[in-house]
Amino acid sequence: MYARTHRGAMIGTLSTTLVAVVFLAIAAWMILAARARRGWPTVRGVVTGGGIRHKTSGVGEEESVTLVPVVEFRYEVGSETYAASGPGFIETGYGSRTRAEKVLAKYPVGAAVEVHYNPAKPGEAFLEYSSTLAWIMLSVGLAILAVAVMLGILGL
């Protein structure tokens, strides 16, 4: 009986640790990628449009809708003109229409904007730098890791 209970506890601890490692790996990748993007060169661009996109996730009663502000902009690198949408490199959605509209209000059509673009792929660009999601992932990963450690210590 003890061996079966101990094996179950060990599997639970390992499973929880694995989930924590996945969160931490994703967070590390996001933080490193965000730091690299922070060093991208900038050019002046112009806002050409925008709106709010509804992003649905989940199924049935678990389905939820996130409102994603989309800012369309145009910019030039060298003699080439590019069009992109954002504003962030990582798509950020909001549960509130007011918050999504607040982001869009910063980018009226025709407004001049500073565009950060990838020097290796100039068609890849964004307007705002944010690593909030990466830090949330890191925090969640650390919290799950703490739970895994406690499970291991307590033998649960």
Side-chain angles (χ1 to χ4, degrees):
M1 179 74 169
Y2 172 76
R4 183 178 299 168
T5 304
H6 181 68
R7 188 177 314 133
M10 190 169 72
I11 290 171
T13 301
L14 289 175
S15 299
T16 306
T17 303
L18 180 61
V19 170
V21 167
V22 168
F23 270 86
L24 293 172
I26 292 169
W29 174 82
M30 291 172 77
I31 290 168
L32 291 173
R35 285 186 182 199
R37 288 183 191 106
R38 197 179 325 161
W40 285 3
T42 60
V43 293
R44 299 298 285 169
V46 63
V47 176
T48 58
I52 296 176
R53 185 171 58 82
H54 292 72
K55 181 179 177 182
T56 306
S57 59
V59 178
E61 291 181 21
E62 299 298 317
E63 187 174 273
S64 65
V65 175
T66 305
L67 304 171
V68 180
V70 178
V71 178
E72 297 164 347
F73 54 96
R74 188 179 66 242
Y75 59 101
E76 290 182 17
V77 176
S79 61
E80 294 289 322
T81 300
Y82 297 92
S85 64
F89 192 84
I90 295 175
E91 185 175 87
T92 303
Y94 301 94
S96 149
R97 184 167 203 78
T98 304
R99 288 187 68 199
E101 287 174 345
K102 195 180 221 181
V103 172
L104 282 178
K106 296 189 307 187
Y107 300 103
V109 173
V113 289
E114 184 175 77
V115 178
H116 303 263
Y117 70 93
N118 183 344
K121 297 178 186 173
E124 194 175 298
F126 66 96
L127 302 176
E128 291 182 1
Y129 165 80
S130 175
S131 58
T132 303
L133 182 58
W135 293 107
I136 290 170
M137 294 288 284
L138 179 65
S139 299
V140 170
L142 290 173
I144 294 171
L145 186 59
V147 168
V149 168
M150 290 306 295
L151 288 173
I153 289 171
L154 298 175
L156 298 175

